[in-house]
Amino acid sequence: MKKHKVYLDHNATTPLHPEVKKSLLMAMKVFGNPSSLHQFGRQAKALVEKARENIASFIGAHHEEIIFVGSGSEANNSVINLLYCRAGNHCRIPNSIAQKKRIITTKIEHPCILESVGCLAEAGVAVIYLEVDNYGKVNLAQLQDELAKGDVVLVSVMMANNEIGTIQDIKKIAEITRQHGALFHTDAVQAVGKIPLNVLDLGADYLSFSAHKIYGPKGVGALYIRKGAPFCPFIRGGHQERGRRAGTENTLGIIGFARAIEMRKLEMQAESKKLLLLKKKLRQGIEKNIGAVSFNGHPEDSLSGTLNVSFAGAEGESILLYLDMEGIAVSTGSACASGSLDPSHVLLATGIPQEKAHGSIRISMGRDTSVEDVDYVIAKLTKVIKRVREISSVPKAG
Ligand SMILES: Cc1ncc(COP(=O)(O)O)c(C=O)c1O
């Protein structure tokens, strides 16, 4: 079998779509500052506003409800922090909201949510972390109970999990939240452009998303802010984004983002069908060829390209490195990049024991993944797991 490169880490980031590359080349000619009143500025401004309209309509929003930010992380931080804004006379958060002292999120959020609510907790805000079941679905009874206690300002629940792919019933969660008078935010970074969604249908007050997860450029994200929802800028300075996010717009990134969204309109549905078939093939191949494996995440309500699998008697990091030598890129949930080898907080929250969580990898496929890639991965993974199990100190029992 010929060795080739197989990129299966699309939940981390995606390659630029060829159409996005073309749009970036065009956009590079437009250098004006969108805030400038002369023709160079107006030209840039027109492109940014057109992009805003296209992106807004893709999620069922009005263009004024979208602000561009530097990343999905910034969008999320902006929402968590706005409710505890202490900007004195500059604060635009009504007292009725600022006085509430409790915030609800889940145990499986992305670190950019968990770390920002963690800071608020240190500052005296009560943070409630909802439990999830074995599939990673949020406990709705706990949500009801916590909301019923009152004083909740915001509920933030991610739409699709980046590690196990589980998709939450956001419409239901938003409805329960609204019934109790709290605001609702969803981190839809892994959902927008992968599954159909409409903000009006969902009933969210805030929704975060990011370009680089859907074949757009890195360093640009967007935040939907429902008309009338309270908001105070996280980044202060100029009056860009109607005074909601200071900083000269990333014109290039925004134009590329809009083109990526346009391509999602055309490709998302067929791609999702293809990925579901590939995931089934991959799962069956792993089950057939490699013993003592288990799959994580919801069997149906899951991102079509995401497969998270645990191998008994093997460490995820070793699997990742051996696969890398075969040209295959996957990821583990461990925070190994930060120097720690803690197992994934998401897997632990679903009740998986530490050891098993350590032996897990995330395979995330995308628009270029082919049947040949999947065959290649099954063959190499079978060999790699055998090798890793031979040298591993982790118990081999399933
Ligand atoms: C669910 C989720 N939220 C937020 C982020 C952060 O997005 P960005 O990389 O644009 O900051 C990610 C990125 O991995 C993610 O998967």
Side-chain angles (χ1 to χ4, degrees), residues 231-258:
F231 193 76
C232 204
F234 182 50
I235 298 188
R236 292 173 179 278
H239 291 104
Q240 292 89 353
E241 302 300 300
R242 293 173 177 265
R244 292 171 296 180
R245 199 270 191 181
T248 302
E249 293 86 345
N250 174 0
T251 317
L252 203 62
I254 291 168
I255 292 169
F257 192 2

Side-chain angles (χ1 to χ4, degrees), residues 11-13 70-76 108-113 158-163 187-191 194 208-213 218-221 362:
N11 288 10
T13 197
S71 60
S73 300
E74 186 191 322
N76 285 342
I108 61 164
E109 298 300 307
H110 188 270
C112 62
I113 290 284
M158 74 194 327
M159 189 151 189
N161 185 269
N162 45 309
E163 291 188 34
D187 169 358
V189 166
Q190 294 289 349
K194 296 185 183 180
S208 311
F209 53 119
S210 183
H212 76 104
K213 307 288 184 187
K218 296 177 205 347
V220 58
R362 175 187 73 185

Side-chain angles (χ1 to χ4, degrees), residues 294-316:
S294 53
F295 297 92
N296 307 310
H298 198 280
E300 281 111 40
D301 297 340
S302 171
L303 292 173
S304 50
T306 305
L307 187 68
N308 191 302
V309 51
S310 303
F311 300 93
E315 292 95 0

